[in-house]
């Protein structure tokens, strides 16, 4: 059989896994990555994650002003480097709720039920807690909770239990709910991402072109045959049998739109020739959101961050209403005050319980401002547009405040709330969440998988209406998962590779 060739765009969480699986099956892969090598030391030390924001390894996206969130432009960091956003992220491994995947399948997407997904997750993981019916220990990606908690993080867990939460030692086990130590993709105090675990060891078997910024897909007679990209200031074309976009939830739709695949009226308004009128491209953008609850301490200091130790180590899943099918909130706890861009620093030392919502109903869009690579994308999250999102975020802030008042924090550490602050009552939090909400960094949904007229990819991740073109990354999620999106993006990489290889007759 002649060798199959593929172009993969993006060496992030999904793209690195997909590429490894294609290469293992004998596919000849050209991998185009806009970013460079992961030589920045801050990528490798979990303590230094914050330094990567606004750095050359960050696409440094911003939303348009968010009408329902104080008209602010929210910063959306995304990885622009080998490893993608898994090179910038907090490495927290959350497989999310079985109901998330059963829901995707119920929308008409066979192969995505929890029963299909669980064995794939197990095959990805090398879990420090060992293999079991629900966990894997032979995979390529280390997932560990075998690290020391900072004293403040120990106390946050204790305070959560005093608040009435279950202490859940394995939220990736049979249920999410409760307060837990985070499981992270780290080895020996250093980040491990899917690029490092899957692809770097076999990089000499792949044609990897860094600094290659893909403009668009070349489509001839309804078939994708290649891509146009810019490298070192010059325009290039590359051709292959199959084209796969793994550029993430903000860039895969942008590449499709620049290719003339998207809502016809939008493309025509920018002078882009319409190749396929695909209404769903750039629609259904959604994200999780956080709002900070910040404390300083009077009994003893929290102390500065420690090299090799992440500034976030614990989180919790909680249902703000008992009738919910899955937890709708996931506060994440930091051993530092997280004032961000919106809050005046009020203390040098402290800790933050970041209230968070993980089943948002608000939906936004991604659009182009022009046809060129340098024309900014217009990202509208519609943050907090849906009143249910506001209600849930307020409930989460209230819970975080209450956890801070428990003896393990209030008595032992002398925790004093500095944001929202004692001048804002629990009944008066709407303005606070609207003026402080920030991204949880989990944008998804812009190339939605499905079988309806507006779906962008089919259940095997082939773009509807264009042959030989696939999207394999977080953008294909029909609805966001209940929890951090990196593990689901890894899963999408594995499943996307299997579908492609099976369709090509390279896997039984
Ligand atoms: C700051 C931050 C913290 C996060 N923390 C966590 C966490 O702790 N746990 C968790 O589960 N999730 C976390 N996430 C989210 C998680 O990292 C993402 O959901 C996941 O990485 C998405 O994977 P992806 O493959 O879809 O995209 P990405 O990993 O973003 O990969 C896309 C790749 O495509 C490249 N690319 C984009 N456009 C082009 C183009 N035109 N041409 C060529 N290459 C291109 C990019 O440079 C990038 O390498 C975080 C994200 C961020 C940014």
């Amino acid at each position: 059989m002649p060798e199959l060739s593929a172009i993969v765009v993006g060496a992030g969480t999904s793209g690195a896994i997909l590429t490894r699986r294609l290469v293992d099956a004998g596919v000849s892969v050209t991998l185009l990555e806009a970013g460079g090598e992961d030589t920045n030391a801050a990528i490798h030390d979990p303590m230094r994650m914050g330094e990567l924001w606004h750095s050359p390894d960050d696409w440094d996206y911003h939303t348009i002003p968010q009408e329902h969130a104080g008209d602010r432009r929210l910063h959306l960091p995304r990885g622009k480097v080998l490893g993608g956003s898994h090179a910038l992220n907090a490495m927290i491994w959350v497989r999310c709720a079985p109901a998330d995947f059963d829901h995707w399948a119920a929308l008409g997407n066979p192969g995505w039920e929890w029963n299909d997904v669980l064995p794939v997750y197990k095959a990805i993981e090398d879990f420090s807690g060992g293999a079991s019916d629900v966990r894997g220990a032979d995979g390529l990606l280390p997932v560990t909770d075998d690290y020391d908690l900072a004293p403040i993080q120990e106390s946050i867990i204790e305070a959560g239990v005093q608040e009435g939460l279950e202490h859940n030692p394995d939220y990736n086990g049979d249920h999410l709910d409760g307060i837990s130590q985070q499981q992270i993709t780290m080895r020996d105090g250093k980040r491990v991402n899917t690029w490092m675990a899957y692809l770097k060891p076999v990089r000499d078997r792949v044609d990897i072109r860094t600094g290659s910024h893909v403009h668009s897909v070349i489509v001839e007679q309804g078939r994708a045959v290649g891509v146009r990209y810019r490298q070192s200031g010059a325009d290039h074309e590359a051709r292959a049998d199959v084209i796969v976009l793994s550029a993430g939830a903000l860039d895969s739709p942008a590449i499709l739109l620049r290719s003339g695949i998207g809502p016809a009226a939008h493309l025509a308004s920018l002078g882009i020739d319409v190749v396929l009128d695909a209404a769903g491209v750039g629609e259904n953008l959604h994200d999780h959101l956080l709002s900070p609850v910040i404390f300083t301490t009077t009994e003893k200091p929290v102390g500065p961050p420690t090299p090799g130790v992440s500034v976030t180590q614990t989180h919790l899943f909680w249902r703000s209403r008992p009738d919910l099918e899955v937890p709708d909130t996931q506060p994440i706890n930091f051993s530092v005050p997280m004032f961000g861009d919106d809050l005046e620093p009020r203390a040098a030392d402290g800790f933050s319980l970041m209230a968070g919502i993980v089943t948002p109903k608000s939906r936004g869009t991604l659009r182009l401002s022009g046809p060129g690579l340098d024309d900014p994308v217009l990202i509208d999250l519609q943050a907090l547009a849906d009143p249910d999102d506001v209600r849930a975020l307020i409930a989460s802030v209230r819970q975080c405040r209450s956890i801070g008042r428990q003896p393990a924090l209030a008595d032992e550490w002398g925790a004093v709330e500095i944001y929202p602050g004692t001048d804002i009552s629990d009944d008066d939090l709407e303005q606070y969440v609207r003026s402080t909400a920030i991204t949880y960094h989990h944008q998804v949904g812009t190339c939605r998988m499905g079988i309806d007229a507006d779906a962008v990819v089919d259940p095997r991740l082939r773009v509807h209406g264009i042959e030989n073109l696939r999207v394999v990354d977080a953008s294909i999620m029909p609805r966001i998962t209940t929890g951090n999106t990196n593990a689901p993006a890894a899963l999408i990489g594995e499943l996307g590779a299997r579908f492609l290889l099976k369709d090509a007759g390279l896997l039984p």
Side-chain angles (χ1 to χ4, degrees):
M1 201 195 298
E3 195 183 60
L4 184 77
S5 63
I7 290 172
V8 177
V9 179
T13 305
S14 307
I17 292 183
L18 167 88
T19 302
R20 169 64 188 264
R21 294 305 181 208
L22 298 190
V23 169
D24 281 351
V27 179
S28 161
V29 183
T30 302
L31 175 61
L32 300 175
E33 166 56 49
E37 299 286 333
D38 58 350
T39 48
N40 184 339
I43 290 174
H44 303 278
D45 181 349
M47 179 193 80
R48 298 178 59 189
M49 177 178 68
E51 292 173 38
L52 298 164
W53 295 16
H54 309 298
S55 78
D57 299 317
D58 176 10
W59 284 91
D60 211 9
Y61 287 122
H62 287 78
T63 65
I64 63 170
Q66 294 296 284
E67 184 185 345
H68 307 283
D71 275 327
R72 290 169 303 129
R73 296 178 68 229
L74 308 183
H75 174 220
L76 306 181
R78 304 305 293 171
K80 186 182 185 183
V81 59
L82 291 172
S85 296
H86 200 182
L88 260 64
N89 74 14
M91 301 182 292
I92 307 161
W93 187 253
V94 183
R95 302 189 311 189
C96 303
D100 299 333
F101 303 97
D102 290 342
H103 172 76
W104 294 3
L107 294 172
N109 298 302
W112 292 91
E113 266 179 36
W114 180 246
N115 284 341
D116 303 311
V117 158
L118 177 61
V120 184
Y121 267 144
K122 286 171 66 180
I124 295 172
E125 298 176 337
D126 175 6
F127 178 46
S128 60
S132 69
D133 285 351
V134 287
R135 303 306 306 264
D138 296 324
L140 291 177
L141 194 66
V143 176
T144 184
D145 58 7
D146 185 14
Y147 62 90
D148 292 337
L149 283 179
I152 188 67
Q153 297 279 346
E154 297 261 19
S155 297
I156 291 170
I157 290 190
E158 210 182 319
V161 172
Q162 290 165 348
E163 171 74 13
L165 296 166
E166 171 194 353
H167 179 210
N168 182 351
D170 185 6
Y171 57 88
N172 284 316
D174 56 14
H175 64 289
L176 282 167
D177 306 61
I179 188 158
S180 307
Q181 178 167 357
Q182 295 163 0
Q183 299 171 14
I184 57 177
T185 61
M186 180 180 79
R187 185 181 285 130
D188 301 328
K190 292 205 168 109
R191 175 187 301 276
V192 181
N193 58 32
T194 62
W195 152 253
M196 298 166 188
Y198 279 75
L199 202 48
K200 200 171 178 184
V202 300
R203 68 177 300 165
D204 54 349
R205 290 159 53 195
V206 190
D207 176 5
I208 300 178
R209 303 183 193 171
T210 54
S212 298
H213 192 179
V214 172
H215 173 269
S216 50
V217 179
I218 305 167
V219 181
E220 293 172 356
Q221 282 91 44
R223 290 171 166 258
V225 297
V227 297
R228 304 175 190 91
Y229 67 100
R230 190 168 67 193
Q231 190 186 32
S232 307
D235 292 334
H236 303 269
E237 286 188 8
R239 292 191 170 232
D241 301 324
V242 187
I243 313 300
V244 188
L245 303 184
S246 295
L250 301 181
D251 283 291
S252 286
I255 294 169
L256 288 178
L257 293 171
R258 289 194 295 259
S259 313
I261 302 167
H266 172 57
L267 300 176
S269 73
L270 299 171
I272 298 173
D273 289 341
V274 179
V275 171
L276 180 76
D277 182 7
V281 176
E283 293 287 321
N284 190 43
L285 173 64
H286 53 301
D287 198 355
H288 296 149
L289 296 175
L290 299 171
S291 181
V293 179
I294 306 178
F295 301 84
T296 191
T297 58
T298 54
E299 290 296 317
K300 53 187 174 182
V302 172
T306 314
V309 177
S310 175
V311 289
T312 174
Q313 296 184 311
T314 62
H315 61 192
L316 70 91
F317 286 92
W318 177 68
R319 298 167 205 236
S320 69
R321 292 192 338 245
D323 57 311
L324 295 171
E325 187 189 16
V326 292
D328 59 337
T329 70
Q330 186 202 356
I332 172 171
N333 309 315
F334 287 78
S335 313
V336 290
M338 298 280 284
F339 299 113
D341 297 332
D342 301 304
L343 296 172
E344 211 44 53
R346 287 184 181 163
D349 179 271
F351 65 97
S352 309
L353 311 181
M354 302 292 283
I357 52 168
V358 286
T359 59
K361 292 186 178 165
S362 307
R363 295 291 182 269
T365 53
L366 181 138
R367 294 283 181 258
L368 302 180
S369 65
L373 263 187
D374 299 322
D375 294 318
V377 286
L378 305 175
I379 305 166
D380 182 4
L381 287 180
Q382 282 288 308
L384 297 177
D386 192 295
D388 277 354
D389 295 353
V390 182
R391 185 202 54 74
L393 192 53
I394 289 174
S396 186
V397 168
R398 282 188 189 134
Q399 184 197 50
C400 290
R401 303 181 97 177
S402 180
I403 291 172
R405 291 194 292 265
Q406 297 300 330
L409 291 169
D411 297 348
E412 253 183 68
W413 292 81
V416 176
E417 183 187 303
I418 49 176
Y419 281 109
T422 42
D423 51 330
I424 301 182
S425 81
D426 262 358
D427 296 330
D428 201 20
L429 284 168
E430 178 167 343
Q431 161 70 13
Y432 179 77
V433 300
R434 289 198 190 277
S435 58
T436 60
I438 54 171
T439 174
Y440 211 145
H441 309 294
H442 300 156
Q443 300 97 49
V444 302
T446 44
C447 299
R448 177 171 65 80
M449 167 173 72
I451 52 172
D452 56 296
D454 286 353
V456 177
V457 296
D458 73 8
R460 302 177 78 75
L461 308 188
R462 297 172 291 211
V463 173
H464 285 293
I466 305 281
E467 278 183 60
N468 301 337
L469 179 60
R470 293 173 186 249
V471 180
V472 178
D473 60 31
S475 68
I476 66 95
M477 294 189 199
R479 188 178 74 186
I480 196 163
T481 51
T482 309
N484 316 55
T485 46
N486 197 49
L491 170 85
I492 290 165
E494 286 279 9
L495 281 176
R498 285 184 198 189
F499 295 143
L500 192 160
L501 292 171
K502 282 187 183 180
D503 294 344
L506 295 171
L507 263 190

